[in-house]
Amino acid sequence: MTAVVALEAITTATRRRRSWTLVVGLVLFGLVLATAIVSLFWLPYDPADTAGSRLEPPSLAHWAGTDRLGRDLATQLMIGARIALAVGIGSVAIGAVIGITLGLVAAFAGRVLDDGVSAFLDILIAFPTLLLAMLIVAAQGASLWSAVLAIGLAMSAIIARLTRILAKRILALDYITASRTSGTGMWGIIWQHLLPNVWPTILVNLALQFGLSVIAEASLSYLGLGAPPPNSSWGRMLKEAEGTVLTAPIGAIAPGIAIVILVLGLNLIADGLRDIGDPLRRVSARAVPAPTTEGPR
Amino acid sequence: MTDNSPLLGVNGLTIRGGGRTLVDDLSLAIGRGERLGLIGESGSGKSLTALAIAGLLPTGLRAEGSLKLDGMQVIGARERDLRSLRGRASSTVFQEPLTALDPLMKLGRQLAEPLRRRAQRDGERMSRDTLLRVIHSSLTDVALPDPDRIANSYPHEVSGGQRQRVALAMALATNPLLLIADEPTTALDVTVQGEILDLLARVVAERQMALLFISHDLAVVSRVVDHVVVLKDGVAVERGPIAELLRSPEHEYTRSLVAGARAFDDALGRIS
């Protein structure tokens, strides 16, 4: 739902201010998204179907060949797209909600609480995501949810620190004081002024973090800490192709390319969003000077 | 509230922070409809005094003494009570019109915020049409040409003088008893400065609002206020009616201010 709104906002933004990186990024991301959606309704083969011959090169019957059990790799890639997006969206949602909340609390809090939260965030950022994931997997067992939680928590620390800094800078500006002198309360300040002003920067970072979380999910799956079989994530496809990478390289190349397409797409989106996110490039539709007799101001 | 107690009564206001005394034992009073100038160089504690009146001192600074606005003690008051006081009793126009406006919000929407709050306070229900009409008339009141275009613009799309007029309209929107103007013309060029001062003097007189005008520039202050308090290093060194102060300044610092203002006036006179 929110993704739809965001996409809508992004496309209107593109129409107004063209950013080619954003367009290319959206095309790459859309490719993966479309694949994931199609995989919900149609797959070339059953993912557990081992009827094909083993380690077959790409052919008309098997677009990306088969793995060493004779399963269709294109089918696995499509399911992998679904998983990569689910983990990415899930962890970005966790990271955004926890991160922005924590960042705002720290920005508004008194010195003691602010220092406490900041120290906690520094520790969390220094803590390796993989170790955090292993702890969560140890407590909950390897699942898609464990991976989402681990990546989301690690991300929330980064987003929280960013939000805190941005919010503190904006809270010190005159328009906040001006608004408060006319009687605006804390929530009014947050909704009316603070969030709209920190959001463009945070959005760019969330897009970047989305890309990083796709890589993180692949790493976790590679280590067996991600979604368990029969879910085929791109990371586990890499792991399974490890032994046969010289004899049947397509098994490693295909998921590799898939990861590159998605991460590159997200990074380009982040770049494009940064280009159009600059507040001073915001132009109201009507403010474009109509031809008048007035001289230049 | 009795009628003879002043609208703003500051008694022995002392602001400390970082081991230094920034404002020292300052006392001043402004009655309803009166206009007072607070003069001093930067760092003399003028702006801190303005923030203290709104109860918005930065964290780390502490105010002592008594500061009564419309009968309510501001120092030590709870945030909730202060919020109902702000806007109704006082509002502020700041020095830098670009940073005093939210860069991401169209000017009309920013102006709607205090307008709606005042309507709520007065128990009025404001329809969208009424709100648009009030926005239009508020912008007309501060002599902005083409108010509809301005309302639909972002702050960076209009000129500095126009931004300051919008900021003034926002401060006036809550219809405060006391308008605090903190160096409202310092960031503007001289001709625009004059226009804004005339506008300020006019709207304050029309609405019988009290005015606290803060500036480092005696020439500017003398155009809009009746009485002046001169502040140096946080201490009030001289006070009195503006005409008297200009005629016979007593404190050495005031004398240097007067001389400075004269020299500036002379220079202007030679130009025009």
Side-chain angles (χ1 to χ4, degrees):
Chain A
M1 189 53 212
T2 45
V4 174
V5 175
L7 269 178
E8 250 169 34
I10 289 165
T11 40
T12 13
T14 333
R15 224 174 295 132
R16 276 221 309 254
R17 295 158 285 192
R18 201 153 291 169
S19 156
W20 291 111
T21 49
L22 186 61
V23 174
V24 175
L26 283 172
V27 167
L28 293 179
F29 180 76
L31 200 68
V32 178
L33 186 67
T35 310
I37 291 172
V38 168
S39 81
L40 293 172
F41 305 104
W42 176 82
L43 286 167
Y45 292 88
D46 186 291
D49 181 358
T50 54
S53 49
R54 303 167 57 211
L55 294 176
E56 221 177 274
S59 64
L60 273 181
H62 298 283
W63 302 336
T66 58
D67 68 2
R68 58 202 161 96
L69 295 176
R71 293 175 300 189
D72 182 49
L73 281 177
T75 306
Q76 294 185 33
L77 280 176
M78 288 174 74
I79 296 175
R82 199 157 82 195
I83 289 175
L85 287 180
V87 171
I89 291 168
S91 57
V92 165
I94 291 179
V97 170
I98 299 182
I100 293 174
T101 313
L102 212 56
L104 287 180
V105 167
F108 271 95
R111 188 127 173 231
V112 179
L113 182 58
D114 183 15
D115 284 354
V117 172
S118 301
F120 172 73
L121 292 180
D122 285 342
I123 294 171
L124 198 55
I125 287 171
F127 207 79
T129 310
L130 275 180
L131 196 54
L132 185 70
M134 280 186 218
L135 289 175
I136 291 176
V137 167
Q140 299 206 335
S143 70
L144 200 62
W145 172 238
S146 297
V148 170
L149 194 64
I151 298 170
L153 282 180
M155 191 191 304
S156 69
I158 293 167
I159 297 296
R161 197 160 67 164
L162 179 71
T163 308
R164 173 180 166 271
I165 290 291
L166 291 171
K168 284 209 140 184
R169 211 180 58 198
I170 285 165
L171 283 177
L173 292 178
D174 281 351
Y175 62 83
I176 300 290
T177 318
S179 183
R180 291 186 69 192
T181 56
S182 77
T184 313
M186 189 182 81
W187 290 108
I189 296 285
I190 291 180
W191 286 112
Q192 304 260 16
H193 299 298
L194 202 50
L195 284 179
N197 275 287
V198 299
W199 183 241
T201 314
I202 290 182
L203 189 65
V204 168
N205 261 270
L206 286 177
L208 278 177
Q209 293 294 328
F210 195 149
L212 292 176
S213 78
V214 169
I215 292 179
E217 186 273 332
S219 319
L220 289 179
S221 297
Y222 185 84
L223 294 170
L225 298 169
N231 300 306
S232 57
S233 97
W234 294 339
R236 227 191 39 256
M237 290 175 70
L238 282 174
K239 168 79 179 162
E240 280 172 10
E242 203 180 349
T244 57
V245 70
L246 291 178
T247 48
I250 185 70
I253 291 172
I257 289 176
I259 292 172
V260 169
I261 288 176
L262 182 53
V263 175
L264 182 64
L266 288 164
N267 285 353
L268 289 176
I269 289 175
D271 253 13
L273 285 177
R274 184 164 42 216
D275 286 348
I276 63 168
D278 183 351
L280 292 188
R281 289 184 55 183
R282 258 192 206 206
V283 176
S284 60
R286 280 220 241 158
V288 179
T292 57
T293 50
E294 248 176 301
R297 289 164 204 281
Chain B
M1 231 207 83
T2 51
D3 265 335
N4 49 9
S5 81
L7 173 63
L8 173 72
V10 179
N11 251 311
L13 175 70
T14 302
I15 301 175
R16 291 202 180 87
R20 292 195 307 137
T21 303
L22 303 162
V23 173
D24 195 5
D25 197 21
L26 175 69
S27 298
L28 53 89
I30 304 178
R32 281 164 198 274
E34 278 180 11
R35 298 178 288 181
L36 180 79
L38 191 57
I39 306 187
E41 59 203 351
S42 42
S44 60
K46 308 169 305 225
S47 297
L48 282 180
T49 308
L51 288 175
I53 294 169
L56 282 172
L57 279 179
T59 42
L61 297 187
R62 286 199 35 233
E64 290 160 31
S66 162
L67 204 165
K68 274 193 168 176
L69 181 57
D70 196 22
M72 188 180 138
Q73 179 59 255
V74 172
I75 294 173
R78 287 181 311 171
E79 178 69 19
R80 267 186 58 199
D81 301 330
L82 282 176
R83 211 186 305 151
S84 65
L85 191 70
R86 289 179 200 140
R88 181 181 64 78
S90 74
S91 56
T92 310
V93 185
F94 288 92
Q95 175 174 352
E96 184 53 67
L98 185 54
T99 56
L101 296 166
D102 187 334
L104 295 191
M105 216 191 252
K106 286 186 180 174
L107 294 167
R109 262 192 70 205
Q110 300 200 43
L111 181 56
E113 215 182 311
L115 284 172
R116 220 184 272 126
R117 200 163 324 106
R118 185 191 62 192
Q120 223 168 43
R121 188 181 83 207
D122 298 347
E124 285 168 30
R125 299 211 39 183
M126 222 190 239
S127 68
R128 206 184 133 68
D129 284 353
T130 327
L131 185 63
L132 286 178
R133 211 166 42 241
V134 179
I135 289 175
H136 186 100
S137 68
S138 308
L139 291 173
T140 315
D141 281 352
V142 291
L144 274 167
D146 201 356
D148 293 323
R149 184 185 68 86
I150 302 274
N152 255 303
S153 305
Y154 289 104
H156 69 274
E157 295 172 328
V158 304
S159 73
Q162 290 173 333
R163 278 197 285 265
Q164 195 58 300
R165 284 167 197 268
V166 175
L168 179 61
M170 283 177 66
L172 294 172
T174 56
N175 205 14
L177 300 167
L178 170 68
L179 181 69
I180 302 170
D182 187 356
E183 304 249 15
T185 60
T186 308
L188 306 171
D189 63 61
V190 181
T191 42
V192 181
Q193 194 171 352
E195 289 168 26
I196 297 276
L197 286 174
D198 292 343
L199 171 68
L200 196 65
R202 180 169 63 77
V203 292
V204 168
E206 272 172 13
R207 300 173 188 223
Q208 298 178 332
M209 237 172 230
L211 174 69
L212 175 61
F213 193 99
I214 297 175
S215 179
H216 65 277
D217 189 340
L218 195 60
V220 163
V221 172
S222 65
R223 289 178 68 163
V224 279
V225 303
D226 323 309
H227 283 73
V228 186
V229 173
V230 180
L231 207 59
K232 186 177 190 332
D233 300 328
V235 183
V237 292
E238 190 163 358
R239 61 181 72 213
I242 183 83
E244 209 166 285
L245 203 98
L246 282 174
R247 209 179 319 119
S248 52
E250 270 167 27
H251 194 273
E252 194 188 331
Y253 178 63
T254 320
R255 250 177 260 147
S256 70
L257 283 176
V258 172
R262 285 245 168 76
F264 188 69
D265 266 5
D266 288 350
L268 270 187
R270 268 200 299 279
I271 293 166
S272 55

